[in-house]
Amino acid sequence: MADSHVLNGTPVVGGKAYGPAVWPGERPVYDPSTAPTVASDEREVETKRFTDAAATVAGRLRERASHASGAAAEVLSATAGLAEDRGWIGAASGLIAKGTAAPAAAVAATEQFATMFTKLGGLMAERVTDLNDVRDRVVAELVGVAEPGVPEPDVPSVLLADDLAPADTAGLDPTKITALVTRLGGPTSHTAIIARQLGIPCVVAVGGLASIAPGTVVLVDGTAGTVEVDPDPKKAQAGVEESRRVAAAAAAWKGPGRTSDGKPVGILANVADGASARTASGFPVEGVGLFRTELAFLDRTDAPTVAEQTKLYREVIDAFGDQKVVIRTLDAGSDKPLKFVAQPDEANPALGVRGNRIANAHPEIRAAQLDAIAAAAKESGASPWVMAPMIATAAEAREFAGEVRARGLVAGIMVEVPAVAILAPQVMAEVDFVSIGTNDLTQYTMAADRMSSDLASLTDPWQPAVLALIANVARAGRAAGKPVGVCGEAAADPLLACVLVGLGVTSLSAAPAAAAAVGAKLGRVTSDQCKLASDTILGLADAASARAAAAAAFGSN
Ligand code: PEP
Ligand code: MG
């Protein structure tokens, strides 16, 4: 095939899909500078035209939400909420009252809010895509063109886009759209979340995507992170069929986690509260490897009491009976600010007073949480493990472990800061276990914001520098005879899981939906194969070579 070539991106959801490319409908292009001034006696009508358009858009999104479920329904409702946001509608109406035409007012009001969201950073900055999507839908309604969005193709197709708004992807029919590929976006973007829920392959941050014309046949490999243009049809079909067989085998996997030669690897779930823990217990997992306690308190303006917290921790412990539950103390700050924790105004919140550092100024918050965990443990008769986020020194690890052990609990830390990975033996001596948070460890090792879609090739846990730090931690764990888990997104990648096990990681914790694919993959490889491949990979210089070497060693399905 003369024209066949491969584009590379960041893999998000594994599997293969093959079919013609489709692009979403054009977004309306509206130049506010060409808008005429609205005469003063027409401004009231113009305001009503705007509020009606916003209400129509919100109504349509809510209607779609009522037919969707899970993450799709949540995403559609959240986007509808933006179209109904009083602040945004107020800002646009204020501009119309001064003579700005409705579409121009929608554009200007969105710009104001987008600037504010971007300044706030983190999760708020991620909402800018949603806000721009609402703007485009309202402008389309006002200027009388079709609402932008994803076409319904006649044959199963691969959806390509610059970036996908959540409302575009929510409710997609996976029998019509068989894979998602975007030029922008990171592994934590909405596109990625929806692709995971739909179970369709997804690759983001693909360079050169714009060169693919609609109708061009492509083969998407969501495990390797590639898009092959005009591939050999027979090979492509065979690849897709093989990936379906592997997916079917994964769906039937029941655990427990072990390599084909019987080496045990704990397959655990990341949870956020009692409800998500109960849901997780229905997946083939052997317990909870990361309970992100701060997520249960994001909306609280006052600190939760010890009794309230005890109830919450019991719910999670009870969902898993006598299985392992690892509770993380509050990781407040940065992208997860908690309103009841007074935090300094910081230029670099990711490098600021977050996680365990909060206890320096507010020891009572951490003490109350540890008291509540101890109470939940006593009531239930379980022995949950407790770990602190954002530990940077052996002294911090010692101080935390002292507090935890004083309450009769098992003490550990998260390895998220390169400093503790480098000094792993000294830190390991202070605690009973560690769990590597590869999301933050990658961000801090590569000096690249984990939320930045422009830096997706750096915020990649396959970066050999990150793998070298993980190897150092696992070596220290083995020498001390202490467990070393991984609880970042890396633990959801079946191929990377094999490498992590080869490096000496003893358990993997991720979104419960990832458990079966990871467990099934580990069941097809030997521990020697894992060790051999990881030794080779540690000697490589870049993430793409590391991934390719793993795919060569373990197969890309
Ligand atoms: C991590 O950093 O990898 C991690 C698991 O913590 P969080 O994603 O909650 O920051
Ligand atoms: Mg983290």
Side-chain angles (χ1 to χ4, degrees):
M1 293 260 144
D3 281 353
S4 177
H5 61 280
V6 177
L7 305 178
N8 290 293
T10 303
V12 174
V13 182
K16 287 186 179 145
Y18 170 63
V22 287
W23 287 83
E26 291 283 308
R27 305 230 141 227
V29 181
Y30 185 80
D31 179 0
S33 66
T34 60
T37 304
V38 182
S40 48
D41 59 344
E42 287 168 14
R43 290 177 191 169
E44 208 172 301
V45 176
E46 186 73 352
T47 305
K48 178 150 187 342
R49 212 165 75 75
F50 170 77
T51 49
D52 284 353
T56 304
V57 166
R60 270 192 216 126
L61 291 165
R62 289 225 181 272
E63 166 70 13
R64 282 175 58 198
S66 70
H67 298 296
S69 64
E74 275 169 33
V75 159
L76 288 164
S77 301
T79 311
L82 282 177
E84 288 161 342
D85 183 79
R86 282 217 230 133
W88 181 70
I89 291 177
S93 304
L95 291 165
I96 300 171
K98 289 192 195 125
T100 308
V107 172
T110 304
E111 223 161 84
Q112 275 175 25
F113 277 75
T115 310
M116 191 168 81
F117 282 14
T118 307
K119 271 207 193 116
L120 286 170
L123 293 176
M124 292 310 284
E126 287 219 327
R127 300 224 70 194
V128 171
T129 312
D130 316 16
L131 202 58
N132 288 339
D133 179 49
V134 164
R135 173 202 61 199
D136 291 344
R137 287 172 194 275
V138 172
V139 168
E141 185 67 25
L142 285 165
V143 302
V145 299
E147 194 164 351
V150 175
E152 271 249 331
D154 302 329
V155 292
S157 302
V158 171
L159 179 62
L160 311 186
D162 262 3
D163 200 2
L164 284 165
D168 284 339
T169 42
L172 277 185
D173 177 353
T175 62
K176 299 255 169 61
I177 298 292
T178 56
L180 300 181
V181 183
T182 60
R183 187 175 67 80
L184 304 169
T188 56
S189 60
H190 274 123
T191 307
I193 292 165
I194 297 289
R196 268 191 208 106
Q197 195 196 357
L198 292 173
I200 58 177
C202 175
V203 185
V204 299
V206 178
L209 196 67
S211 65
I212 303 180
T216 310
V217 177
V218 294
L219 171 67
V220 179
D221 185 335
T223 309
T226 56
V227 181
E228 190 175 350
V229 180
D230 285 325
D232 178 276
K234 274 209 185 107
K235 274 199 206 146
Q237 293 287 13
V240 171
E241 269 153 38
E242 168 66 8
S243 94
R244 286 207 187 114
R245 267 196 300 279
V246 169
W253 188 81
K254 294 281 175 285
R258 55 188 69 244
T259 55
S260 65
D261 55 324
K263 181 188 163 83
V265 181
I267 302 289
L268 306 163
N270 291 355
V271 305
D273 52 22
S276 64
R278 285 186 289 275
T279 306
S281 69
F283 286 81
V285 294
E286 296 150 59
V288 170
L290 168 63
F291 172 11
R292 289 183 164 103
T293 55
E294 67 282 357
L295 297 184
F297 304 124
L298 286 179
D299 294 333
R300 292 287 297 239
T301 48
D302 55 334
T305 64
V306 171
E308 281 175 307
Q309 292 191 59
T310 305
K311 184 168 172 289
L312 170 69
Y313 305 147
R314 268 219 68 174
E315 277 192 53
V316 173
I317 291 170
D318 290 350
F320 279 89
D322 54 6
Q323 288 183 302
K324 179 170 172 177
V325 172
V326 184
I327 304 179
R328 175 171 79 182
T329 50
L330 296 173
D331 187 17
S334 191
D335 57 333
K336 291 172 286 195
L338 289 177
K339 296 189 188 98
F340 60 86
V341 181
Q343 286 189 270
D345 207 10
E346 298 171 314
N348 279 314
L351 301 179
V353 183
R354 65 168 286 201
N356 192 62
R357 296 167 182 186
I358 303 263
N360 296 339
H362 300 285
E364 73 289 354
I365 294 181
R366 193 183 67 184
Q369 182 167 31
L370 294 178
D371 288 345
I373 298 171
K378 192 159 173 232
E379 280 177 15
S380 61
S383 341
W385 294 13
V386 188
M387 63 183 181
M390 286 297 287
I391 292 288
T393 66
E396 285 175 7
R398 185 183 321 127
E399 190 268 340
F400 178 75
E403 290 292 316
V404 173
R405 289 178 183 142
R407 291 166 173 86
L409 299 164
V410 179
I413 59 150
M414 289 193 71
V415 177
E416 298 173 291
V417 179
V420 291
I422 293 165
L423 287 194
Q426 291 93 318
V427 176
M428 199 71 71
E430 305 294 349
V431 292
D432 306 317
F433 72 98
V434 302
S435 183
I436 305 174
T438 45
N439 306 335
D440 276 315
L441 184 63
T442 306
Q443 144 163 287
Y444 296 129
T445 303
M446 304 309 295
D449 186 340
R450 62 193 266 186
M451 294 295 180
S452 166
S453 52
D454 296 334
L455 303 177
S457 62
L458 290 177
T459 50
D460 182 343
W462 283 92
Q463 284 287 350
V466 178
L467 297 176
L469 288 180
I470 295 173
N472 202 42
V473 178
R475 206 175 300 124
R478 214 169 26 246
K482 293 177 182 174
V484 174
V486 166
C487 63
E489 281 299 302
D493 175 343
L495 205 51
L496 188 47
C498 300
V499 178
L500 295 173
V501 168
L503 293 175
V505 164
T506 54
S507 67
L508 299 160
S509 189
V518 169
K521 180 83 184 174
L522 284 173
R524 291 197 298 275
V525 301
T526 66
S527 48
D528 277 353
Q529 264 180 311
C530 294
K531 172 87 182 62
L532 239 125
S534 61
D535 283 349
T536 309
I537 286 167
L538 281 179
L540 300 174
D542 60 81
S545 315
R547 200 177 264 119
F554 305 118
S556 74
N557 279 311

